[in-house]
Amino acid sequence: ADFTVLCCGGGNAAQVATGLFSIRYKTIAVSFYADEAAKWKAALGDEDFELTLPGGKVVKSKPHDITNDPSVAATANVILLVVPSHAHGEYFEKFAPYMKPGTIVACMPARSGGDILFSSKLGEKAKDMIFCGFETLPWACRFTEWGRKATILGTKNNILAAVSPATAKQAMAKLQGLLGVNPWVQDSPNNLGISLRNPGMIVHPGVMYGRWGPESWDGQPKDESPLFYQGVDEFTEKILIEMTDEAQAVARKAEQLVPGLDLSDACTLKQWYLDCYDGQMTDTSSLKRCMNTNAAYDGLKHPCKEVDGKHMPDLTYRYLSEDVPTGLCFAKGLAEIIGIPTPTIDKVMIWAQGCIGLEIMVDGKMTGKDLDKTRAPQGMGITTLPAFLLASKIPALL
Ligand code: NAI
């Protein structure tokens, strides 16, 4: 049978991935979001999909189908989720009854805890499947004509990814084959390292808190939307350093508790900037300066809404509504399981949960009624380290 790839989602990334993989493989685009699949199928009609590559070359291809029917998972060799992470659970759940043993399910980007969510949604079946978490999307990309044309603005040179179980190394080779020469997929030892490396869970909520939290903002509108990265000041830097240090404490304690567990990819935020933006920052002397002087961030502003010609922050933007549930909640939940105090993460979380209308922490504990809408292990019924390691497919001598 043909090597079959499912590309899930319908936004920028999913359209680009569908165009790219359709060139060489039997590719089925799947979207469960509203009537997006039917709309996309109608928009494309009998035409080819046009993908513009960096440098301007245009390639045409045609997906085998565009559907909202989960049963196509029965034919899939690889299922790629290229959607915002809050949608991952729905895809896992709907595909679960159809997936055949050995199916590779890859999330780009995975954010945090995608592996344990996958285990919790698949139940018994999870042990026969391979989960792959990518630290980021390989491309900067946009559709230019919805459903018909898209552009890859740039492709990353290297990205980190991990497979669960770690023994399924052949899955990584298959994914590298799908992606082509660029990006080079660097094998990370486990998905826990990818989860705790997630820079967005620190940067986005941390910078939002630093600017709009109760310690620094008077609630009044601003004349301009402030700069997001270039505007990081000493107070915000302090919050970010405390958060990244708390996440580090979680990683180092986990390494102590689980002999042989390698979480070296779960680095500090500053180290992540040095790894990923080498040469694009004019001053790397501090975390603040890495963020202030990164050319890739030039001019990027805080998400704001205009009110009477002035600017108010959008406190429901994905920097809080995605990065808290599928990032910070994972790290905080694991911290609680292994007994690491996280006072600054708690402070940011308690502020953020109010902004996004979720109850996550109650009286300093991960017991809120909305935990099941997050990647906190507690929301999946996981409250002990052995249960966590089982869901993570990390063999442990416990
Ligand atoms: P997007 O915003 O274009 O994705 C929209 C799609 O998400 C929709 O078309 C739908 O399929 C799905 N969706 C939205 N709301 C939903 C809901 N309530 N329920 C179910 N599905 C829903 O995002 P894009 O650009 O495709 O990015 C995908 C992921 O990749 C995101 O996590 C993004 O942060 C990340 N990323 C994107 C980059 C880019 O250049 N586009 C670069 C780096 C990361």
Side-chain angles (χ1 to χ4, degrees), residues 21 30 83 116 156 163 187 220 231 247 281 305 358 376 392:
F21 299 136
V30 183
V83 275
I116 60 169
K156 300 203 168 68
V163 284
D187 204 347
Q220 295 306 307
M281 301 165 293
K305 294 177 182 164
L358 291 182
S392 312

Side-chain angles (χ1 to χ4, degrees), residues 162-244:
V163 284
S164 300
T167 46
K169 293 291 176 221
Q170 82 289 356
M172 206 63 103
K174 280 192 187 155
L175 290 166
Q176 183 73 68
L178 265 182
L179 291 168
V181 186
N182 272 325
W184 180 247
V185 183
Q186 284 177 296
D187 204 347
S188 186
N190 52 67
N191 273 292
L192 183 51
I194 300 280
S195 293
L196 292 175
R197 181 180 174 86
N198 177 0
M201 73 179 180
I202 309 285
V203 173
H204 294 151
V207 174
M208 293 292 277
Y209 180 88
R211 174 64 61 182
W212 310 111
E215 293 179 77
S216 40
W217 185 46
D218 59 8
Q220 295 306 307
K222 304 260 185 203
D223 293 334
E224 304 272 348
S225 306
L227 289 163
F228 195 85
Y229 297 92
Q230 287 154 306
V232 167
D233 59 10
E234 262 140 43
F235 175 71
T236 297
E237 182 192 41
K238 179 173 163 286
I239 296 287
L240 294 171
I241 290 175
E242 287 168 4
M243 291 173 78
T244 188

Side-chain angles (χ1 to χ4, degrees), residues 57-278:
K57 189 178 164 202
V58 175
V59 287
K60 294 188 176 190
S61 66
K62 187 139 185 83
H64 179 79
D65 198 5
I66 303 171
T67 183
N68 65 355
D69 176 1
S71 73
V72 293
T75 67
N77 299 89
V78 172
I79 299 178
L80 279 169
L81 270 61
V82 268
V83 275
S85 52
H86 59 76
H88 291 168
E90 182 184 10
Y91 285 88
F92 297 157
E93 212 166 276
K94 290 190 174 162
F95 288 142
Y98 304 102
M99 284 164 56
K100 60 182 187 226
T103 307
I104 301 167
V105 180
C107 292
M108 295 177 169
R111 306 302 181 196
S112 303
D115 54 341
I116 60 169
L117 180 70
F118 186 69
S119 292
S120 106
K121 296 286 185 195
L122 267 83
E124 252 308 284
K125 262 189 125 165
K127 68 175 190 335
D128 302 321
M129 309 294 170
I130 300 158
F131 176 86
C132 180
F134 282 77
E135 66 164 335
T136 182
L137 192 73
W139 323 282
C141 57
R142 303 283 174 266
F143 55 75
T144 48
E145 199 183 320
W146 192 86
R148 298 166 58 87
K149 293 181 184 177
T151 298
I152 299 185
L153 305 162
T155 303
K156 300 203 168 68
N157 293 328
N158 301 297
I159 55 175
L160 280 178
V163 284
S164 300
T167 46
K169 293 291 176 221
Q170 82 289 356
M172 206 63 103
K174 280 192 187 155
L175 290 166
Q176 183 73 68
L178 265 182
L179 291 168
V181 186
N182 272 325
W184 180 247
V185 183
Q186 284 177 296
D187 204 347
S188 186
N190 52 67
N191 273 292
L192 183 51
I194 300 280
S195 293
L196 292 175
R197 181 180 174 86
N198 177 0
M201 73 179 180
I202 309 285
V203 173
H204 294 151
V207 174
M208 293 292 277
Y209 180 88
R211 174 64 61 182
W212 310 111
E215 293 179 77
S216 40
W217 185 46
D218 59 8
Q220 295 306 307
K222 304 260 185 203
D223 293 334
E224 304 272 348
S225 306
L227 289 163
F228 195 85
Y229 297 92
Q230 287 154 306
V232 167
D233 59 10
E234 262 140 43
F235 175 71
T236 297
E237 182 192 41
K238 179 173 163 286
I239 296 287
L240 294 171
I241 290 175
E242 287 168 4
M243 291 173 78
T244 188
D245 286 350
E246 289 169 6
Q248 284 299 297
V250 174
R252 305 292 80 91
K253 179 81 184 281
E255 284 176 328
Q256 265 174 29
L257 291 172
V258 186
L261 180 63
D262 176 359
L263 296 177
S264 48
D265 287 328
C267 59
T268 64
L269 187 54
K270 178 153 186 250
Q271 185 59 47
W272 183 83
Y273 278 115
L274 298 175
D275 287 356
C276 296
Y277 287 103
D278 185 34

